[in-house]
Amino acid sequence: MQYTIKQFAELFQTTEHTIRYYTDIHLLPCQRDHANRRIFDEESFNWMRGITFLKQCGASIQDIKEYCRLCRLEESEENLRARYQIIIRQREQAHKKAEEARATAAYMDQKAKHYEDILAGRIPDDTNPGSWTSKDLSFSCRQREDNPEKYSYNQDNEKE
């Protein structure tokens, strides 16, 4: 199957500008039609998929360029090991991002539970900064009586 630049950008949820940039810096192979327009095929799709995953891990353009350069070289154990090292680094970044996402989701779960408790009338609304008192201002979060494993924090975010 062949794709226009617009179709290809939509397929990868990116911009046409990004696709042009990747082809211009020789990350992404493409062919040209009779009007010199970029045409993308299955090979392009495979390269873009790899580029997208590396980018999502936080790889820099330089790292992605190096990986792509190594992929285009003749196969050797040294080349394979160099690509492997890049993948190992990016795997570590992916796991780090996943852990950060889990921590963010856990925080949002706690915030949602807090709002549910307020809405159910179990605790007073303490979420609006406009209604905080000077006593409240010394804390960035308060221990809830119904949840003793939560801690209070002072202005410097030190556990009390």
Side-chain angles (χ1 to χ4, degrees), residues 37-92:
R37 293 177 295 224
R38 291 171 175 92
I39 299 294
F40 301 91
D41 58 14
E42 291 304 312
E43 180 187 7
S44 304
F45 179 90
N46 293 335
W47 280 99
M48 187 62 186
R49 186 168 178 230
I51 291 165
T52 300
F53 282 124
L54 287 169
K55 194 72 178 154
Q56 288 172 346
C57 290
S60 68
I61 290 295
Q62 284 307 114
D63 286 341
I64 297 170
K65 283 175 83 170
E66 178 61 10
Y67 182 78
C68 292
R69 184 188 72 77
L70 290 167
C71 287
R72 289 183 179 106
L73 292 177
E74 186 175 319
E75 292 292 322
S76 69
E77 185 172 338
E78 180 182 351
N79 178 323
L80 186 60
R81 288 188 185 283
R83 287 184 287 160
Y84 173 70
Q85 289 304 314
I86 292 169
I87 294 302
I88 292 299
R89 261 195 328 269
Q90 296 315 311
R91 179 181 69 177
E92 290 170 5

Side-chain angles (χ1 to χ4, degrees), residues 11 47 68 94 102 114 157:
L11 188 62
W47 280 99
C68 292
R102 280 189 290 277
H114 189 77
N157 263 351

